[in-house]
Amino acid sequence: MFERPQGGDRAILVHLTASERADGELSELARSAGAQVQAEIATSRAAPDPRHYIGLGKVQELRDAVAAHSVDLVIFGVTLSPSQERNLERELHCRVLDRAGLILDIFAQRAASYEGKLQVELAQLEHLSTRLVRGWTHLERQKGGIGLRGPGETQLETDRRLIAQRIKQIRARLDQVRSRRSLARRARQRAALPVTSLVGYTNAGKSTLFNQLTGAGVTALD
């Protein structure tokens, strides 16, 4: 059993393919999230290791790099399973974040609208809920002591229940937002107002194009 390490800004990036390191996308994502990249390590496997995704030799190399650079965080350019994430944290003694978690963190920083913030929080909670399993000792201590004895629910079970309740609340609020948006959409349709959508992946230039078309001056960052 172990205490899950706290995160930080000093990071090592782990590239799982040569092309991933060459295009620099993971590096840009990490820096966009505010990470201070101290080192980048590349590796390649024909098939992921079920315990750590990477091999034991690369785990040792990462452990040495974490100690040498005094980093708080290791970021992988792939999606890790909850067990792989926990096993790596146990071996490296620092926080491990996969690609999905990194992108969610960026979205959380950038979300501006009420609906956008709700959507990001929902995605983060659903991502976190899969990681509340054995290996988080501070979540598994039984309630006890004078004035604290209860029905026997562990902290892990409490956290799961609270997350489930929050997810339910957010979904209800999103339904309300969508209902109001639907009413506004019908009003626009009755008025025959033209509607245009700009759709694209992160950094595709949506905000830049929007500003050019409308002069709105919304934030547009690389």
Side-chain angles (χ1 to χ4, degrees):
M1 309 302 288
F2 70 106
E3 293 286 359
R4 192 171 197 220
Q6 296 298 308
D9 297 329
R10 293 172 58 84
I12 290 176
L13 307 184
V14 181
H15 301 279
L16 277 301
T17 65
S19 61
E20 178 187 274
R21 182 169 188 174
D23 66 27
E25 184 182 14
L26 182 63
S27 302
E28 291 301 322
L29 286 172
R31 292 185 175 92
S32 294
Q36 301 170 22
V37 179
Q38 305 299 307
E40 299 185 42
I41 293 177
T43 185
S44 179
R45 287 183 63 88
D49 178 82
R51 283 185 55 79
H52 303 101
Y53 199 100
I54 56 177
L56 290 178
K58 194 59 69 170
V59 170
Q60 181 60 55
E61 180 183 342
L62 258 179
R63 188 187 299 122
D64 294 341
V66 166
H69 295 281
S70 300
V71 302
D72 315 293
L73 178 66
V74 173
I75 302 174
F76 278 70
V78 295
T79 299
L80 301 171
S81 71
S83 62
Q84 288 169 339
E85 194 173 285
R86 289 193 311 279
N87 291 336
L88 285 164
E89 288 183 344
R90 186 182 290 111
E91 294 288 344
L92 303 177
H93 305 291
C94 73
R95 192 71 180 264
V96 172
L97 192 67
D98 67 0
R99 183 182 181 86
L102 175 61
I103 291 175
L104 285 174
D105 185 87
I106 294 171
F107 284 164
Q109 293 182 42
R110 306 288 174 84
S113 69
Y114 176 65
E115 183 180 12
K117 291 176 181 178
L118 287 176
Q119 289 173 331
V120 171
E121 184 180 355
L122 177 60
Q124 287 180 314
L125 288 172
E126 290 176 336
H127 186 69
L128 174 62
S129 66
T130 65
R131 279 142 173 82
L132 290 181
V133 292
R134 289 185 62 82
W136 303 53
T137 56
H138 68 290
L139 299 178
E140 297 198 39
R141 294 185 184 130
Q142 192 77 23
K143 293 178 180 177
I146 296 174
L148 295 176
R149 306 183 207 278
E153 182 178 51
T154 65
Q155 187 60 48
L156 174 59
E157 290 167 339
T158 300
D159 287 353
R160 280 178 172 156
R161 177 169 49 79
L162 292 174
I163 286 177
Q165 289 175 351
R166 181 59 181 164
I167 287 175
K168 185 177 179 180
Q169 291 173 351
I170 293 173
R171 285 177 173 161
R173 291 179 183 178
L174 281 171
D175 286 341
Q176 293 173 355
V177 171
R178 289 163 184 155
S179 178
R180 289 195 295 269
R181 179 184 288 177
S182 178
L183 290 174
R185 184 183 301 114
R186 286 198 292 271
R188 288 195 302 270
Q189 290 171 343
R190 285 195 298 269
L193 293 175
V195 177
T196 301
S197 297
L198 297 176
V199 181
Y201 183 63
T202 298
N203 221 38
K206 300 183 298 296
S207 299
T208 300
L209 178 58
F210 181 70
N211 287 335
Q212 289 293 320
L213 293 173
T214 67
V218 300
T219 302
L221 298 173
D222 185 359

